[in-house]
C-alpha cells in the first residue's frame, strides 16, 4: 500500500505547531477545571509507568546460616518447634498471594493506562476536557492496545529467558569461573544482547505510540490493521520516522530533566501521580500534540484533529 503523499514531511514544523496548540489549548483562556480534567486523563494514560516502581529485596543478611550451616527449616524448627512446617507453609502461601496480587494490580493499571491513552489523545485532538465519553467510545481500542502490550511483554520475557538460560547452563559446567576468558566473553555477549534488546524494544514502543495508537484512534479500528498500516507507512518514509525517533528520544530526555528538576524544587512532591501530570501538563500535552501533528502530515486518514489543524496543510491521500 503506497501512500502517494505529494508533500515533504517536516520533522521540526510539528514542534512549532504543537507549541502553539498547547499554548492555545491550556492558556487561551486558562480554565482550571479543564486543566484538572485533562490532567486526570494524562494521569490515566501514564498509569502503566508506575508499575515499575517495585522495591528491591536483598538476599543477604543470613550470616547465622552461613556460619553454622543451618537451613531455613532448621531455623524455623528452633523458633517454632513442631509448628515449623505450618509456619513455612503459611509464609509460602503469603508470598504467593503477594505475587499474585502484585501481578493483578500491574495488569489492572496497564489496562486503565491503555484506556486512558485514548482519552488523553481525544482530549488533545478535540481540545475538550472529557472523561466518560472517550472512556466508553474507545473501549475496544483500549482493550486491543492492552493485548498488544501483553504480547510485547510476553515476547520480551521469552527473549530474555532464551538469552539467560544458556548463560546459566554454562555457569554450571565444570571449570566455570568469572575469571576465565570464556566466562568473560559470554558475560559480555549477554550484556550486549540485553542492551540491543532494550534499544529495540524502546524504538518499537516509540513507533507504536507514534503510528499505531494514533491510527487506531483516527480510524477507530483494531490493533492488527493499525500495525499493518503503520508498517506500510514506515516503509514508505523510513528516514522521516527515524528522524522522528531521535526527536522523540530528545523530548523524552528533556522531559525527564524537567520532571527531576521539578521534583527537586518541590521536595519530591511533584513526582507523585496525578500531581505530576497536573503540574506539568503543558509538557505532556506538547509531547502528545507533536506526535499528532507529525503523523497528520500523512493524510486525512492519519489526522486526529477535528477540524483539521490550521498550522498544517493536509494533502489528499489515495
Amino acid at each position: 500500500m503506497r501512500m502517494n503523499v505529494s508533500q515533504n514531511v517536516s520533522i521540526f514544523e510539528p514542534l512549532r505547531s504543537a507549541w502553539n496548540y498547547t499554548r492555545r489549548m491550556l492558556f487561551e483562556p486558562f480554565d482550571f477545571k479543564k486543566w484538572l480534567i485533562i490532567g486526570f486523563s494524562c494521569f490515566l494514560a501514564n498509569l502503566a509507568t508506575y508499575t515499575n516502581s517495585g522495591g528491591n529485596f536483598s538476599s543477604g543478611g543470613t550470616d547465622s546460616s552461613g556460619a553454622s550451616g543451618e537451613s531455613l527449616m532448621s531455623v524455623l524448627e528452633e523458633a517454632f518447634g513442631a509448628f515449623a512446617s505450618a509456619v513455612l507453609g503459611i509464609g509460602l502461601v503469603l508470598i504467593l498471594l503477594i505475587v499474585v496480587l502484585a501481578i493483578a494490580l500491574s495488569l489492572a493499571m496497564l489496562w486503565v493506562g491503555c484506556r486512558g491513552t485514548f482519552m488523553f489523545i481525544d482530549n488533545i485532538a478535540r481540545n475538550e476536557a472529557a472523561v466518560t465519553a472517550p472512556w466508553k467510545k474507545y473501549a475496544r481500542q483500549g482493550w486491543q492496545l492492552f493485548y498488544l502490550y501483553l504480547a510485547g511483554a510476553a515476547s520480551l520475557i521469552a527473549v530474555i529467558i532464551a538469552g539467560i538460560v544458556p548463560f546459566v547452563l554454562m555457569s554450571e559446567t565444570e571449570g566455570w569461573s568469572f575469571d576465565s576468558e570464556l566466562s568473560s566473553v559470554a558475560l559480555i555477549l549477554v550484556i550486549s544482547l540485553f542492551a540491543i534488546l532494550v534499544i529495540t524494544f524502546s524504538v518499537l514502543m516509540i513507533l507504536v505510540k507514534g503510528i499505531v495508537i494514533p491510527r487506531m484512534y483516527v480510524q477507530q479500528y483494531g490493533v492488527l490493521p493499525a500495525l499493518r498500516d503503520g508498517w506500510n507507512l514506515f516503509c514508505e518514509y523510513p528516514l522521516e520516522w527515524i528522524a522522528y525517533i531521535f526527536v522523540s528520544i530528545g523530548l523524552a530526555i528533556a522531559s525527564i530533566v524537567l520532571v527531576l528538576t521539578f521534583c527537586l524544587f518541590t521536595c519530591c512532591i511533584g513526582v507523585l501521580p496525578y500531581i505530576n501530570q497536573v503540574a506539568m501538563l503543558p509538557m505532556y500535552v506538547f509531547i502528545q500534540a507533536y506526535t499528532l501533528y507529525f503523523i497528520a502530515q500523512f493524510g486525512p486518514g492519519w489526522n486526529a484533529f477535528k477540524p483539521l489543524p490550521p498550522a498544517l496543510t493536509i494533502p489528499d491521500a489515495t
Side-chain angles (χ1 to χ4, degrees), residues 156 160 164 188-200:
L156 181 63
I160 291 176
I164 291 178
I188 293 174
L189 179 61
V190 169
I191 294 175
S192 300
L193 290 176
F194 182 76
I196 294 173
L197 181 63
V198 170
I199 293 173
T200 303

Side-chain angles (χ1 to χ4, degrees), residues 4-128:
N4 296 325
V5 179
S6 59
Q7 97 173 23
N8 294 328
V9 176
S10 173
I11 303 300
F12 299 106
E13 178 62 23
L15 288 172
R16 184 181 67 83
S17 301
W19 174 262
N20 292 332
Y21 187 80
T22 301
R23 174 174 49 81
R24 294 194 304 268
M25 178 180 176
L26 297 179
F27 297 101
E28 298 178 3
F30 175 78
D31 186 339
F32 187 62
K33 181 180 178 182
K34 176 182 178 182
W35 191 294
L36 292 178
I37 294 174
I38 297 176
F40 178 70
S41 67
C42 180
F43 158 69
L44 294 183
N46 288 275
L47 194 59
T49 60
Y50 293 101
T51 60
N52 299 321
S53 59
N56 296 320
F57 297 93
S58 173
S59 60
T62 57
D63 295 337
S64 61
S65 176
S68 60
E70 291 180 333
S71 65
L72 175 61
M73 195 61 189
S74 300
V75 174
L76 291 176
E77 287 176 351
E78 260 187 54
F80 299 100
F83 298 99
S85 298
V87 171
L88 180 61
I90 293 174
L92 293 176
V93 170
L94 289 176
I95 292 174
L96 180 61
L97 181 62
I98 292 173
V99 171
V100 171
L101 289 176
I103 294 175
L105 180 61
S106 299
L107 291 176
M109 293 175 66
L110 178 62
W111 175 76
V112 174
C114 292
R115 296 283 292 270
T117 296
F118 291 97
M119 289 174 55
F120 187 49
I121 292 177
D122 189 73
N123 284 177
I124 294 175
R126 296 180 179 275
N127 191 10
E128 295 178 353

Side-chain angles (χ1 to χ4, degrees), residues 190-254:
V190 169
I191 294 175
S192 300
L193 290 176
F194 182 76
I196 294 173
L197 181 63
V198 170
I199 293 173
T200 303
F201 184 78
S202 300
V203 169
L204 289 176
M205 286 300 299
I206 291 175
L207 292 177
V208 166
K209 292 181 178 180
I211 305 179
V212 177
I213 294 177
R215 185 65 167 176
M216 293 174 67
Y217 172 81
V218 173
Q219 298 296 327
Q220 296 186 34
Y221 57 29
V223 69
L224 292 180
L227 286 171
R228 179 201 62 210
D229 294 349
W231 172 254
N232 291 332
L233 185 65
F234 181 83
C235 293
E236 186 78 13
Y237 298 95
L239 296 180
E240 288 82 354
W241 280 105
I242 291 174
Y244 168 82
I245 290 171
F246 281 103
V247 173
S248 298
I249 292 174
L251 291 176
I253 294 174

Side-chain angles (χ1 to χ4, degrees), residues 248-313:
S248 298
I249 292 174
L251 291 176
I253 294 174
S255 66
I256 292 173
V257 172
L258 289 175
V259 170
L260 292 177
T261 303
F262 182 68
C263 176
L264 178 64
F265 284 99
T266 58
C267 300
C268 295
I269 296 177
V271 79
L272 295 177
Y274 186 59
I275 294 178
N276 172 265
Q277 280 75 38
V278 170
M280 308 200 70
L281 186 60
M283 179 190 74
Y284 291 108
V285 170
F286 169 74
I287 293 175
Q288 184 62 69
Y290 169 70
T291 295
L292 297 181
Y293 268 100
F294 180 81
I295 199 170
Q297 298 176 102
F298 297 102
W302 301 91
N303 177 58
F305 293 97
K306 307 296 181 193
L308 301 183
L312 289 176
T313 302

